Amino acid sequence: MHLIKAQLTKQLAITAGAAIAILCSSAIAAHAYTDLGNDIHIQYVKVKRPIFTGQYTKVNGKKGHKIITPKGTILKLEATGSTKEGPSFGQLTRGLVSYQKQQHIYQVTKGPELNVKQYNTKYFTPYKLKLPIRTLALQAGNGYTNNKAGNYRPIFYITLDGYLQYYTTARLKHYGVLNSWQSTKTTVVINNPLWTIKPSASVKVNSFKVKGNTSYIYFKKPIKGLAAKKVSAKYYRLAIKKLHSQHQEWRYGDENWQDVSWITYNVGDHPFYNLVDMSAGD
């Protein structure tokens, strides 16, 4: 009788131990997060829980205190990397935000704080922009012309925080901005002053709709230079239709060359284009 009872007690203990092991295993699985560093298709991420991502307040142009990025914020992935046999880290910025918001953010550009070590699904989820034209610089004209006639034509783009920013020819000439890739001061696209100068006009985008290749942008006040249509007592609508991809190569003598790709758009029945790629050699 004592032997049977002992065996039963041992079996119950083993069963209980197995149940605990299963529960522990489930708990571990529930808290297993995916490293995002190997996904080459990610351009933007959405923050799932508050975290420091390398930005500070800007005080008189200098670094102030840390900004804890709140849940729901959309960030741009600039680069990824990893230490030896370690998890990936991501370099994340606020991306192309409005001029007024830029005045309050100091972005770290070097040092350990630039690398977010928790670049995984615990803190971030891959995000695709719902408005396809957001952050694309659209310049007036039928396409890149490779001559002075195409320089300084008006440009506009929609920022990540929802502002349509418009730049007139006069403003672009003042800062030497030829197009979204070239300026008289530098040819490095990321350093083009277009992305940091004050726009000639700016308006908050209240809403948008996307139907096929056309994006409809709604805002409350018109911008001179953009053919928005008044559709109600409060709102104007700008229709932006994506048309065709184009590419052209120019040769200068035996060795010098330039290769450019762009996409054409119809913006309120007027031609605009977005430069996609530009390269040159000699």
Side-chain angles (χ1 to χ4, degrees):
M1 183 66 177
H2 291 290
L3 179 60
I4 294 173
K5 184 176 181 181
Q7 289 177 337
L8 182 59
T9 302
K10 184 177 181 181
Q11 289 175 351
L12 288 172
I14 293 173
T15 303
I20 293 171
I22 291 171
L23 287 172
C24 290
S25 176
S26 299
I28 292 171
H31 290 85
Y33 300 104
T34 303
D35 187 299
L36 295 172
N38 295 322
D39 191 337
I40 62 173
H41 301 292
I42 296 176
Q43 292 182 298
Y44 295 92
V45 295
K46 190 172 187 177
V47 178
K48 296 172 67 175
R49 58 182 72 188
I51 184 175
F52 176 64
T53 55
Q55 293 87 39
Y56 287 78
T57 57
K58 186 186 290 186
V59 182
N60 296 323
K62 297 182 179 180
K63 183 169 68 174
H65 62 265
K66 283 184 177 182
I67 298 175
I68 301 302
T69 303
K71 177 182 177 181
T73 303
I74 306 302
L75 298 175
K76 187 176 188 299
L77 176 66
E78 303 291 351
T80 60
S82 63
T83 55
K84 291 182 179 179
E85 300 180 355
S88 298
F89 59 81
Q91 294 180 0
L92 302 165
T93 70
R94 285 297 199 274
L96 189 55
V97 294
S98 60
Y99 175 79
Q100 57 263 44
K101 192 166 187 175
Q102 289 180 31
Q103 308 317 300
H104 302 287
I105 297 176
Y106 183 96
Q107 174 64 55
V108 172
T109 57
K110 60 182 179 180
E113 290 182 319
L114 179 62
N115 301 324
V116 178
K117 296 179 181 179
Q118 304 91 340
Y119 184 54
N120 56 51
T121 52
K122 179 178 180 180
Y123 288 94
F124 308 100
T125 183
Y127 184 82
K128 183 178 180 179
L129 299 179
K130 293 180 174 61
L131 180 61
I133 60 166
R134 192 183 294 273
T135 76
L136 299 184
L138 300 182
Q139 186 163 26
N142 291 302
Y144 185 76
T145 61
N146 193 34
N147 59 53
K148 293 181 179 180
N151 296 337
Y152 306 118
R153 292 183 176 180
I155 296 174
F156 78 93
Y157 58 83
I158 298 171
T159 66
L160 285 175
D161 55 331
Y163 284 85
L164 190 158
Q165 298 192 158
Y166 181 84
Y167 302 81
T168 63
T169 293
R171 180 61 54 90
L172 297 176
K173 280 185 176 180
H174 179 77
Y175 288 97
V177 178
L178 306 180
N179 52 55
S180 60
W181 280 66
Q182 297 173 306
S183 76
T184 57
K185 300 176 182 179
T186 177
T187 56
V188 180
V189 63
I190 195 170
N191 293 330
N192 191 325
L194 172 66
W195 311 115
T196 57
I197 62 178
K198 186 176 181 178
S200 306
S202 176
V203 63
K204 177 68 176 177
V205 175
N206 296 99
S207 62
F208 64 84
K209 293 191 299 186
V210 179
K211 292 184 178 180
N213 289 332
T214 303
S215 299
Y216 297 95
I217 313 301
Y218 296 83
F219 41 85
K220 291 185 177 181
K221 64 178 182 178
I223 289 181
K224 186 178 180 180
L226 292 177
K229 181 179 179 181
K230 191 168 187 178
V231 292
S232 71
K234 288 186 176 181
Y235 294 109
Y236 289 83
R237 183 183 70 191
L238 184 65
I240 305 171
K241 184 177 182 180
K242 182 179 179 181
L243 299 177
H244 311 290
S245 297
Q246 297 190 29
H247 165 264
Q248 190 164 342
E249 183 177 331
W250 288 268
R251 292 278 178 178
Y252 315 98
D254 296 331
E255 296 182 350
N256 294 342
W257 57 273
Q258 185 178 35
D259 194 280
V260 183
S261 299
W262 65 90
I263 298 175
T264 57
Y265 288 81
N266 182 308
V267 180
D269 292 328
H270 293 275
F272 279 74
Y273 70 97
N274 169 249
L275 278 173
V276 176
D277 189 42
M278 178 179 288
S279 56
D282 52 30

